[in-house]
Amino acid sequence: MADPGAGEKLKVFISYSRRDSAAFADELMAGLEVAGFAPFLDRHDIAAGEDWEARLGGLIAQSDTVVFVISPEAIKSEQCTWEVDRTLELSKRLLPVIFKSVPDHDIPEKLRRLQFVSFDSGTGFARPLSQLAEALRVDLDWIREHTRLGDLARRWDARGRPESLLLRGDDLDAAKAWMAARKAAAPEITDAQRTFVRTSDEAETSRLGRERAQLRRSARLLWAVASLVLLWFGYVLWKDYDVARRELNVFTARATDALNDEQFDRAMRYALQVYPARGDLPWITPFSTELEGKLAGGALSTRLHRQLNGHSKPVKTAAFSGDGKLVVTASDDNTARIWDAESGREIAVLKGHTDNVLSAAFSGDGKRVATASRDSTARIWDAGGGTEIAVLKGHDGAIFSAAFSADDKRLVTMSDRTARIWDAESGNEIAVLKGHTDGMDSAAISGDGKLVVTASEDATARIWDAKSGREIAVLKNHDSALNNATFSADGKRVVTASRDSIARIWDTKTGKEITVLKGHAGPVSSAVFSGDGKLVMTASYDLTARIWDAESGNAVLVLKGHTGSVFTAVFSGDGKRVVTASADSTARIWDVESGNEVARLLARLAPKRGKSGDIGDILGLPWEGKQIAVLKGHTDKLHSATFSADGKRVVTASDDSTARVWDAGGGTEMAVLKGHDDMLGAAFSADDKRVVTASKDKTARIWDAESGNEIAVLKGHTDSVNSAAFSGDGKRVVTSSEDKTARIWDAGGGAELAVLEGHTAKVHRAAFSADGKRVVTASSDKTARIWDAENGTEIGALKGHDREVRSAAFSADGKLVVTAAVFDNVRIWNAESRKEIAVMKGHLVSSAAFSADGKRVATASWDGKARIWDAESGKEIAVLKGHNIIVYTAAFSGDSKRVVTASMDHTARIWDVTWATLMRDDALREGVCAEKLIGAAQEFTDGEMEDPVLRGIDKNDPIARNPCLRRGPLSLDYWTRLPGQLWRSTLRLAR
């Protein structure tokens, strides 16, 4: 028998009468098989004697379509009639085909209403077979699904309707879609099928409800667990953040103290220890602009160039080679060492002495080194390879110094109460210098080799004839033992250093005292002249080295950073650097020219040859590598100095009744603006083509910035005009006056546009906002006021100062206002709400101005200094020292890289403040570690490691004690170092 369930073919049951249609049924089945269907017949498939109704009912149920063969015998057959009824009962598709014609009235109604396929029309067999096949293929998939769902429904019902046999998920969705897709001509969906699908849907809904309830219970449990984990994790993060925040506060305070002590490299190390490291997680790493300011302030102020680490005991002396490329140091560790002055790399170790090496010095050509030691010998070494050339023996005790003559042919050594002169080539002794009544501490040869000066514990220095050994002069005045004495380069002066904390300069020829250098708080261990003789460098037990004006005796610069006594300090040959040696076992190279002051506009004549000039003349401080110019012209104090918008020019205003335009790069005078009686202020227009000035003659004037020609006079004030400034578009000018008003003018014709009345005392300053819509004024009535620049009405007053407000200015975005009150504080205000945001305390302020981005403030002060502040925290970043009397104004250049100050000392000065203003975030950290703290200077010193806040750091771990090497968890270095750090921590705990 044929298999009715064959493959994916449509199953077709053929119902017929065996009496007259058997041959046709066989032919029809064969034709349907060829057409791709799976037909089956009762003659072939029903076994003899079986229950044919059960069997045929099953076959009909399994079939997709029933084809009923109409013939006279089939119409009469009870079995055929039953098959039709069963087919319709199961809602199977029924297709009647006419094999032999039968009168219509004899055909049952249930068949008569269906569409027939006639095989008796005389057209042959193939054509009606094709029509039948086409009818069978209509809604093929839907018919198959009808059969499948019918089978599933019967099986479910036969087995007692268990839930396990119901449809689920996609099968259920497909069944509901199948029901919805029934076409009108398709077989009816049976009640059994409907019940089966409906029950499946109800069971699915119930099951999903149970699952959702279970999921909700599980989710609540998981959420509770996750919440506990998150709470714990959050608590850990919060505690970690809180600890980090408190550490930040502590280290910020340490950095502040270090800055106040001018220990700038220490301040940078402290700041870097808590500054966000490379790879830190930003959302759990605390940050403060105050800390950033301390790091920037240290970078701006430091003069440390290199730190030379290698000696294991105090370093007694350090000296440059003549070309400044090498440094030699002498130490109590019995060695001298030669270093590369640029990189700080150790080049050679000079070993041979059996006791402390007390001094070391290069020959003039830099090819040899002379050392002196407590082992009673001096030695000459090859500076290239570090090999010993000669040993000088003759002294009975320790030799405290050894130095070459200028021509390198002789060497002078000093020990106890004698000095000796040697032939530097042969090592033979030439002369012995005797006369001191106590031990000697130093000896030096004059540049021409004709004289020797010695310093002694008998409180005197003596000058000797180098050839005969005859004593020429005794230098007396010190109250205590002398530590050293040296000649100026021309041999005309001698400088002595004494334990009485004083250095003195003497005339070599007469032996008379010229200048006294007072300021150290401890014994002065050494003193030397600069190459040009204009400066003296001293070193002291007070942990500092100082640079002095050799003529006036005034201190020029203090170098702080060593944590032990400073034994020696000397200039490089070009005077641009200084090397110091200290009891803290380090030598340090300082960049004298990297001081913050980068240009100086002098309001007096240049010093005569041989006379001391301004500090800037002495140091030769650079601006972009150019020599500083002395500007001749102003003959009285300066009231203001401001940059042009492009930063290329500066305009100054002075009591000498002139304003002057200068080249900000070279310092040359470009134009003189004459016409006022006394000038109190001057400013450029935004396009830099014009200058507006304010004067005590009750007028303001507009000038051509190129030619210096007067363009317009603004008349209307009844008293001195204190300030004048252009609007951003250059179309208006605002002035402030002693007459208690500010006025707005047409910059083109000079017509008065508005009078700003409201202040009850003189108005010192008036300025537009960047958009020109508002004006801010500062007054002696202790207020600043904001005005509508269009109609002149007052918007609001800024109240809070206790004294007269001397300056007020908007930030570039107009959101903030900064005010400065005389002998009071600087305050930052919200320009919209007029509420105070920050207060900057620290000095007697005369003016204040924002940087371009509003994040920094520059102030000028009556204490002779200018300062840079962090606008957000109100904390001081850096102090600009150089003026020696009141600084009236301080203003940023347009790019915020420079500040120009104007002072009562008749000078204006330009300062490089890039580190304090533009270096931020990661760039600041990386810049400090790459340019300011280099090599050994990055590591905390042994003394700093004793600070309680650093005691958790392993002293023996060079990475842990170097804040520049700190890394966060987003950095690969963090994870590669972690195992080693954990191991070291375990070892420490085990101890």
Side-chain angles (χ1 to χ4, degrees):
M1 296 194 333
D3 182 4
E8 293 296 322
K9 296 178 181 181
L10 186 75
K11 292 170 286 187
V12 180
F13 177 69
I14 300 174
S15 176
Y16 69 101
S17 172
R18 294 180 191 142
R19 292 180 180 178
D20 62 0
S21 304
F24 174 77
D26 288 338
E27 186 179 5
L28 182 60
M29 186 173 74
L32 291 176
E33 284 180 344
V34 171
F37 300 100
F40 47 97
L41 301 169
D42 60 342
R43 181 167 58 84
H44 287 277
D45 298 310
I46 298 177
E50 70 175 298
D51 183 354
W52 62 270
E53 287 186 354
R55 174 59 176 164
L56 286 177
L59 291 175
I60 292 171
Q62 292 178 36
S63 68
D64 298 314
T65 301
V66 174
V67 173
F68 185 79
V69 179
I70 296 176
S71 68
E73 292 298 327
I75 294 300
K76 299 176 185 178
S77 170
E78 180 182 348
Q79 177 180 325
C80 289
T81 300
W82 181 89
E83 289 175 357
V84 170
D85 291 340
R86 183 60 177 166
T87 298
L88 295 175
E89 181 184 339
L90 294 176
S91 293
K92 295 290 183 176
R93 183 168 62 175
L94 180 63
L95 293 179
V97 299
I98 299 175
F99 168 54
K100 291 181 178 181
S101 296
V102 176
D104 288 345
H105 58 83
D106 290 340
I107 299 174
E109 177 64 24
K110 61 187 76 175
L111 289 177
R112 194 165 54 240
R113 64 173 180 261
L114 298 177
Q115 185 72 33
F116 298 157
V117 177
S118 297
F119 280 82
D120 64 343
S121 60
T123 59
F125 185 79
R127 184 172 181 178
L129 178 64
S130 176
Q131 293 174 351
L132 176 61
E134 185 177 347
L136 288 171
R137 292 190 182 99
V138 173
D139 293 332
L140 185 63
D141 292 333
W142 195 92
I143 295 297
R144 286 173 176 166
E145 187 66 7
H146 186 284
T147 303
R148 188 183 74 85
L149 288 176
D151 288 343
L152 293 176
R154 285 190 296 276
R155 186 182 304 115
W156 168 68
D157 186 63
R159 296 186 182 180
R161 299 190 172 187
E163 186 175 338
S164 59
L165 293 182
L166 293 173
L167 299 173
R168 289 186 176 188
D170 292 343
D171 278 349
L172 177 59
D173 292 339
K176 291 192 288 185
W178 169 82
M179 292 175 67
R182 178 185 175 273
K183 295 179 180 178
E188 292 290 338
I189 299 172
T190 66
D191 290 340
Q193 289 171 326
R194 292 183 185 278
T195 301
F196 177 64
V197 172
R198 184 182 64 252
T199 305
S200 295
D201 192 32
E202 292 171 351
E204 179 79 349
T205 300
S206 176
R207 182 180 63 81
L208 290 177
R210 292 193 302 273
E211 288 181 357
R212 280 193 289 269
Q214 180 63 35
L215 285 174
R216 284 194 293 269
R217 288 192 294 272
S218 299
R220 284 194 291 270
L221 178 61
L222 288 174
W223 175 247
V225 173
S227 297
L228 289 174
V229 172
L230 287 172
L231 284 173
W232 175 83
F233 185 65
Y235 175 76
V236 170
L237 287 180
W238 176 81
K239 289 295 292 182
D240 185 66
Y241 184 89
D242 185 60
V243 169
R245 180 183 54 78
R246 285 187 279 118
E247 283 185 343
L248 183 144
N249 293 335
V250 170
F251 278 94
T252 301
R254 292 289 198 279
T256 301
D257 293 341
L259 285 175
N260 292 337
D261 292 339
E262 297 186 9
Q263 302 279 359
F264 302 119
D265 54 326
R266 177 183 297 175
M268 288 186 283
R269 286 190 290 271
Y270 275 129
L272 284 169
Q273 186 62 20
V274 289
Y275 196 81
R278 188 188 305 169
D280 265 342
L281 297 169
W283 57 89
I284 62 171
T285 303
F287 174 79
S288 79
T289 57
E290 180 183 0
L291 177 72
E292 183 181 63
K294 301 306 176 187
L295 182 57
L300 177 66
S301 304
T302 187
R303 289 174 174 81
L304 180 63
H305 183 68
R306 294 290 184 273
Q307 183 169 303
L308 311 179
N309 282 21
H311 287 294
S312 58
K313 291 185 179 181
V315 181
K316 290 299 181 68
T317 64
F320 281 102
S321 58
D323 60 9
K325 294 181 179 180
L326 302 176
V327 168
V328 63
T329 56
S331 171
D332 280 351
D333 64 7
N334 301 352
T335 71
R337 295 172 190 249
I338 299 175
W339 313 78
D340 183 296
E342 180 58 32
S343 68
R345 178 178 58 88
E346 182 180 279
I347 295 175
V349 181
L350 311 183
K351 295 182 179 180
H353 286 292
T354 58
D355 209 335
N356 302 348
V357 182
L358 302 178
S359 82
F362 282 101
S363 58
D365 60 10
K367 295 180 178 180
R368 291 173 292 170
V369 168
T371 56
S373 170
R374 286 191 185 276
D375 65 6
S376 303
T377 70
R379 298 174 189 247
I380 300 175
W381 311 77
D382 173 36
T387 57
E388 183 178 280
I389 297 173
V391 180
L392 310 182
K393 296 181 179 180
H395 287 290
D396 295 329
I399 302 177
F400 296 103
S401 70
F404 286 96
S405 60
D407 60 7
D408 294 336
K409 292 182 178 180
R410 286 170 294 171
L411 193 73
V412 62
T413 58
M414 179 277 302
S415 172
D416 200 9
R417 300 184 183 184
T418 69
R420 296 174 187 252
I421 300 175
W422 310 78
D423 184 298
E425 295 295 331
S426 65
N428 295 329
E429 182 182 292
I430 297 174
V432 180
L433 311 180
K434 296 181 179 180
H436 284 292
T437 59
D438 208 336
M440 282 197 222
D441 286 315
S442 79
I445 300 176
S446 62
D448 59 9
K450 295 180 179 180
L451 301 176
V452 171
V453 64
T454 56
S456 170
E457 294 187 8
D458 64 8
T460 70
R462 297 174 188 249
I463 300 175
W464 313 78
D465 182 288
K467 187 174 183 180
S468 66
R470 178 177 59 86
E471 181 182 291
I472 297 174
V474 180
L475 312 181
K476 300 178 180 180
N477 261 355
H478 284 291
D479 298 327
S480 188
L482 272 65
N483 286 320
N484 93 316
T486 58
F487 287 102
S488 59
D490 59 9
K492 294 180 179 181
R493 289 170 294 168
V494 167
V495 63
T496 55
S498 171
R499 295 176 194 173
D500 63 8
S501 304
I502 295 173
R504 297 172 189 263
I505 300 175
W506 313 78
D507 184 285
T508 302
K509 188 174 182 180
T510 64
K512 292 182 179 180
E513 180 182 292
I514 300 173
T515 309
V516 179
L517 311 180
K518 291 184 179 180
H520 282 294
V524 182
S525 50
S526 77
V528 296
F529 283 98
S530 60
D532 59 8
K534 293 182 178 181
L535 300 177
V536 167
M537 168 67 72
T538 57
S540 172
Y541 279 62
D542 67 4
L543 315 187
T544 72
R546 297 177 188 240
I547 299 176
W548 311 77
D549 179 344
E551 182 173 349
S552 68
N554 294 328
V556 173
L557 192 64
V558 180
L559 303 180
K560 295 183 178 181
H562 283 294
T563 57
S565 300
V566 184
F567 295 129
T568 64
V570 296
F571 288 98
S572 60
D574 58 9
K576 295 181 178 179
R577 288 172 293 171
V578 167
V579 62
T580 55
S582 169
D584 64 10
S585 301
T586 70
R588 297 181 183 225
I589 300 174
W590 309 81
D591 194 346
V592 176
E593 285 195 339
S594 70
N596 305 322
E597 187 176 322
V598 295
R600 178 155 309 166
L601 315 181
L602 303 178
R604 56 175 173 74
L605 296 178
K608 296 179 180 179
R609 182 177 295 277
K611 297 293 184 180
S612 173
D614 186 86
I615 292 170
D617 307 323
I618 297 168
L619 291 182
L621 296 174
W623 186 84
E624 293 185 352
K626 298 178 181 178
Q627 180 65 39
I628 300 304
V630 179
L631 308 183
K632 303 175 183 179
H634 284 304
T635 57
D636 209 336
K637 62 185 178 184
L638 278 72
H639 283 285
S640 75
T642 57
F643 282 101
S644 58
D646 61 9
K648 296 180 179 180
R649 289 175 291 172
V650 168
V651 62
T652 55
S654 170
D655 268 353
D656 65 5
S657 300
T658 70
R660 296 176 185 258
V661 179
W662 315 83
D663 173 22
T668 57
E669 181 183 290
M670 302 175 71
V672 180
L673 314 181
K674 294 181 180 180
H676 286 296
D677 290 341
D678 288 306
M679 288 205 190
L680 299 176
F684 283 98
S685 59
D687 60 6
D688 296 335
K689 293 181 179 180
R690 291 168 295 166
V691 167
V692 63
T693 55
S695 172
K696 291 181 181 179
D697 64 9
K698 305 178 186 179
T699 71
R701 297 175 189 242
I702 300 175
W703 313 77
D704 184 288
E706 295 293 332
S707 66
N709 295 330
E710 182 181 293
I711 298 174
V713 181
L714 311 182
K715 294 182 180 180
H717 284 293
T718 59
D719 209 332
S720 297
V721 180
N722 292 322
S723 74
F726 282 99
S727 59
D729 58 10
K731 295 181 179 180
R732 290 168 295 166
V733 167
V734 64
T735 56
S736 63
S737 172
E738 302 270 329
D739 66 7
K740 305 179 186 179
T741 71
R743 297 175 188 245
I744 300 175
W745 312 79
D746 175 21
E752 182 179 283
L753 302 176
V755 181
L756 312 183
E757 295 181 294
H759 285 294
T760 58
K762 56 188 175 184
V763 184
H764 293 285
R765 191 83 73 236
F768 283 101
S769 58
D771 59 10
K773 294 181 179 180
R774 290 168 295 167
V775 166
V776 64
T777 55
S779 170
S780 287
D781 65 7
K782 304 178 184 178
T783 72
R785 296 174 189 250
I786 299 175
W787 311 77
D788 186 306
E790 297 298 324
N791 55 37
T793 58
E794 182 181 314
I795 297 174
L798 309 179
K799 298 180 180 180
H801 286 291
D802 297 324
R803 295 177 180 270
E804 60 183 271
V805 183
R806 284 297 186 94
S807 78
F810 283 101
S811 59
D813 59 9
K815 295 180 179 179
L816 303 176
V817 169
V818 62
T819 58
V822 65
F823 299 117
D824 194 11
N825 303 314
V826 174
R827 297 171 190 258
I828 297 178
W829 312 78
N830 182 298
E832 185 67 27
S833 66
R834 299 183 294 283
K835 291 183 179 179
E836 183 182 288
I837 296 174
V839 180
M840 300 169 188
K841 302 177 180 180
H843 63 154
L844 307 175
V845 184
S846 53
S847 77
F850 279 107
S851 60
D853 62 4
K855 293 185 177 180
R856 298 288 186 261
V857 170
T859 59
S861 172
W862 289 59
D863 63 7
K865 301 178 181 69
R867 287 172 166 81
I868 307 295
W869 307 78
D870 173 49
E872 181 177 330
S873 66
K875 300 299 182 180
E876 180 184 294
I877 293 175
V879 181
L880 310 181
K881 300 178 181 178
H883 292 291
N884 52 37
I885 200 168
I886 301 171
V887 181
Y888 289 120
T889 63
F892 285 100
S893 59
D895 58 10
S896 298
K897 292 181 178 180
R898 290 167 292 163
V899 164
V900 62
T901 54
S903 170
M904 189 182 231
D905 65 5
H906 303 182
T907 73
R909 300 170 191 245
I910 300 175
W911 314 75
D912 184 345
V913 294
T914 302
W915 281 95
T917 55
L918 300 184
M919 300 295 283
R920 309 274 174 81
D921 306 319
D922 293 346
L924 175 60
R925 180 193 64 238
E926 298 303 320
V928 166
C929 292
E931 300 178 35
K932 297 296 181 178
L933 290 177
I934 300 175
Q938 293 181 351
E939 295 185 10
F940 287 109
T941 65
D942 288 341
E944 291 165 355
M945 293 294 289
E946 295 302 318
D947 189 326
V949 300
L950 296 174
R951 285 182 181 170
I953 296 176
D954 185 356
K955 291 183 178 181
N956 299 317
D957 184 351
I959 293 178
R961 66 187 293 171
N962 185 337
C964 283
L965 297 180
R966 290 177 56 244
R967 296 292 184 268
L970 297 180
S971 167
L972 179 61
D973 288 343
Y974 175 89
W975 299 103
T976 56
R977 295 173 187 170
L978 187 60
Q981 292 172 347
L982 293 175
W983 175 248
R984 283 188 290 271
S985 298
T986 302
L987 292 178
R988 286 203 302 273
L989 290 173
R991 299 192 192 107

